[in-house]
């Protein structure tokens, strides 16, 4: 993510807001049908990927849900991505997801190990980036909200027949005082009946006192002014008392920013080395598999048996060739002996013919 700005106390709850927005965006893409129904998964809660002591966590289940949703969002962006399985290597899965996010233009400057827990700020960030890319690839755009027009109506006080205003009460009292009789009037109504009538009519009697709104506003303004003065004086006092703590806090904040810069620089190298390590690990797995295949073929006795059979057959053929060579040598020897005998015989015959010729 981008460089973090100075955070206030409300930053702890930023994940909750981000997760709620993320869930609304997933509903826009109809993730219930394409993800939940397909994999037979129950719907996500409003704060499913939030890492908090107040939220129940299940790292294995949350990481699987994160990888499945991320793979689906990457596929929506037009990038081929196989759905991860539950027993896949988490390191390879995280490395592949972050590589696809970089290809899509997302910025990743945190170690991949932050995603292995399946919850937390970085998980929400990656999913939010992917869902934004998916919405953009689908051509979805948020419209401006339309607020209903509210007409301010003037408050009117409806006078009920049973409602007596203070002015009417004063007028009646004045009339009664002006028409006071010279003699004392005696009531001939029973006190019990009078009390019953009063209880019956009492709920219908209302006295509405109309106050001066301007006076209330002036009084409210005076109270607010006094309160602001108190707050200002209290703030000055606190600033005076806590000035050394504020300076220490600023120094600590500056050191924290330096450490964050160093961490981000180091994490960038770690991310690249992690990616290279994942590639080397993949190549190593391929070499191991090839070695295992060769080892299994070498431990198999079938080729040795074939070699032995070939050697036995070769020995038999050599013996047959020796016999044939012996027969041929014997035949040649007999032919040479026969030829020699014939030559000897011819020589004797020639010697016998020479003396006879001389006598003639």
């Amino acid at each position: 993510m981008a460089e973090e700005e100075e955070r206030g106390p409300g930053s702890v709850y930023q994940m909750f807001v981000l997760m709620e927005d993320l869930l609304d965006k997933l509903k826009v893409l109809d993730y219930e049908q394409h993800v939940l129904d397909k994999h037979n998964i129950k719907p996500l809660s409003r704060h499913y990927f939030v890492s908090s002591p107040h939220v129940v966590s299940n790292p294995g289940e949350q990481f699987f849900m994160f990888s499945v949703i991320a793979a689906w969002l990457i596929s929506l962006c037009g990038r081929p991505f196989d759905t991860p399985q539950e027993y896949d290597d988490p390191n390879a899965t995280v490395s592949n997801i972050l590589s696809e996010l970089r290809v899509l233009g997302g910025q990743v400057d945190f170690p991949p190990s932050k995603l292995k827990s399946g919850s937390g700020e970085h998980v929400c960030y990656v999913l939010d980036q992917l869902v934004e890319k998916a919405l953009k690839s689908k051509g979805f755009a948020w419209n401006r909200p339309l607020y209903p027009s509210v007409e301010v109506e003037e408050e009117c006080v409806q006078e009920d027949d049973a409602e007596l205003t203070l002015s009417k009460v004063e007028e009646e009292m004045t009339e009664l005082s002006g028409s006071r009789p010279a003699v004392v009037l005696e009531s001939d109504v029973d006190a019990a009946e009078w009390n019953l009538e009063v209880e019956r009519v009492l709920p219908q009697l209302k006295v509405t006192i109309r106050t001066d709104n301007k006076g209330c506003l002036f009084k409210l303004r005076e109270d607010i002014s006094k309160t602001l003065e108190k707050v200002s004086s209290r703030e000055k006092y606190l600033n005076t008392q806590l000035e050394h703590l504020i300076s220490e806090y600023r120094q600590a904040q500056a050191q924290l920013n330096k450490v964050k810069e160093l961490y981000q620089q180091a994490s960038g190298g770690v991310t690249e080395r992690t990616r290279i390590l994942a590639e080397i690990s993949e190549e190593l797995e391929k070499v191991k598999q090839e070695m295992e295949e060769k080892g299994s073929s070498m431990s198999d006795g079938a080729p040795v048996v074939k070699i032995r059979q070939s050697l036995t057959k070769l020995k038999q053929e050599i013996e047959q060739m020796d016999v044939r060579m012996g027969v041929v040598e014997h035949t040649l020897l007999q032919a040479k002996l026969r030829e020699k005998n014939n030559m000897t015989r011819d020589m004797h015959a020639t010697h016998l013919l020479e003396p006879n010729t001389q006598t003639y």
Side-chain angles (χ1 to χ4, degrees):
M1 287 183 288
E3 290 190 5
E4 297 180 356
E5 300 178 353
E6 294 186 0
R7 293 186 164 186
S11 61
V12 180
Y13 306 99
Q14 183 63 29
M15 273 191 300
F16 292 85
V17 179
L18 183 60
M19 178 60 206
E20 291 181 1
D21 292 342
L22 171 63
L23 191 59
D24 292 336
K25 295 173 185 176
L26 289 174
K27 289 181 178 179
V28 170
L29 292 172
D30 196 11
Y31 90 108
E32 294 96 339
Q33 179 181 359
H34 298 288
V35 178
L36 301 183
D37 295 343
K38 182 178 179 181
H39 297 279
N40 194 18
I41 302 174
K42 61 182 180 180
L44 303 182
S45 62
R46 298 293 295 177
H47 307 131
Y48 184 79
F49 290 114
V50 174
S51 177
S52 172
H54 307 290
V55 179
V56 180
S57 62
N58 187 347
E61 177 186 337
Q62 288 172 317
F63 180 78
F64 177 68
M65 283 297 304
F66 161 72
S67 59
V68 169
I69 294 176
W72 173 64
L73 292 174
I74 293 171
S75 301
L76 289 181
C77 295
R79 301 283 302 174
F81 197 90
D82 295 333
T83 302
Q85 302 299 321
E86 196 169 356
Y87 299 101
D88 288 351
D89 184 13
N91 294 320
T93 302
V94 169
S95 178
N96 294 334
I97 291 173
L98 293 181
S99 298
E100 293 295 333
L101 180 58
R102 292 190 188 95
V103 172
L104 293 172
Q107 186 177 2
V108 179
D109 54 3
F110 55 86
S113 59
K114 295 289 186 180
L115 303 177
K116 293 177 65 176
S117 62
S119 63
E121 180 181 2
H122 299 87
V123 171
C124 295
Y125 167 77
V126 170
L127 290 178
D128 186 67
Q129 288 289 309
L130 290 175
V131 78
E132 286 290 344
K133 303 294 182 184
L135 288 171
K136 186 176 180 181
S137 65
K138 292 292 184 181
F140 180 82
W142 299 99
N143 296 326
R144 292 184 177 181
L146 299 176
Y147 299 101
S149 58
V150 179
E151 297 180 356
V152 180
E153 298 180 357
E154 296 182 357
E155 295 183 358
C156 57
V157 179
Q158 296 181 353
E159 295 184 356
D160 194 0
D161 294 338
E163 230 176 44
L164 297 177
T165 61
L166 186 60
S167 59
K168 290 184 178 181
V169 173
E170 292 177 352
E171 291 176 359
E172 292 178 358
M173 291 296 294
T174 304
E175 292 177 355
L176 289 175
S177 299
S179 61
R180 180 178 298 174
V183 295
V184 178
L185 298 177
E186 293 182 0
S187 176
D188 57 353
V189 180
D190 188 8
E193 293 180 359
W194 180 263
N195 290 330
L196 290 175
E197 184 66 19
V198 169
E199 291 178 0
R200 186 182 67 81
V201 179
L202 184 61
Q204 300 178 2
L205 297 177
K206 280 188 179 180
V207 177
T208 302
I209 301 176
R210 297 180 180 178
T211 58
D212 188 4
N213 293 330
K214 292 184 179 180
C216 293
L217 290 176
F218 283 129
K219 184 178 181 182
L220 182 61
R221 186 183 67 178
E222 292 177 358
D223 294 340
I224 292 175
S225 300
K226 292 179 181 179
T227 304
L228 288 176
E229 290 178 0
K230 290 181 181 179
V231 170
S232 178
S233 61
R234 187 64 177 173
E235 183 179 359
K236 292 179 181 178
Y237 172 76
L238 290 176
N239 289 334
T240 304
Q241 295 294 325
L242 303 177
E243 185 175 0
H244 65 287
L245 294 177
I246 293 173
S247 62
E248 291 178 0
Y249 171 76
R250 289 174 179 173
Q251 294 176 0
Q253 191 68 28
Q255 293 179 357
L256 178 62
N257 292 332
K258 293 180 181 179
V259 173
K260 284 182 179 179
E261 291 179 359
L262 296 174
Y263 169 76
Q264 289 176 356
Q265 294 175 359
S267 63
V270 171
T271 303
E272 183 65 21
R273 290 180 176 83
T274 304
R275 184 183 63 81
I276 297 173
L277 176 62
E279 294 178 356
I280 295 174
S281 301
E282 185 177 357
E283 293 179 359
L284 180 61
E285 289 295 331
K286 291 181 180 178
V287 173
K288 286 183 179 179
Q289 187 176 1
E290 292 177 358
M291 291 180 63
E292 289 178 357
E293 291 177 355
K294 291 182 179 179
S296 61
S297 62
M298 291 176 64
S299 61
D300 190 6
V304 178
V305 173
K306 290 182 179 180
I307 293 173
R308 289 180 179 175
Q309 291 177 354
S310 300
L311 289 174
T312 304
K313 186 176 181 181
L314 185 59
K315 287 180 180 179
Q316 292 176 357
E317 291 179 354
I318 291 173
E319 291 177 356
Q320 292 177 1
M321 289 296 295
D322 290 339
V323 172
R324 291 179 181 178
M325 288 175 62
V327 172
V328 172
E329 289 179 356
H330 180 70
T331 304
L332 288 174
L333 182 60
Q334 286 183 351
K336 287 181 179 180
L337 290 174
R338 192 179 299 111
E339 185 179 359
K340 186 177 181 182
N341 290 333
N342 291 335
M343 291 177 63
T344 303
R345 191 182 303 113
D346 292 340
M347 290 178 62
H348 283 294
T350 303
H351 287 295
L352 291 174
L353 290 174
E354 286 181 356
N356 293 330
T357 304
Q358 293 177 359
T359 57
Y360 289 108

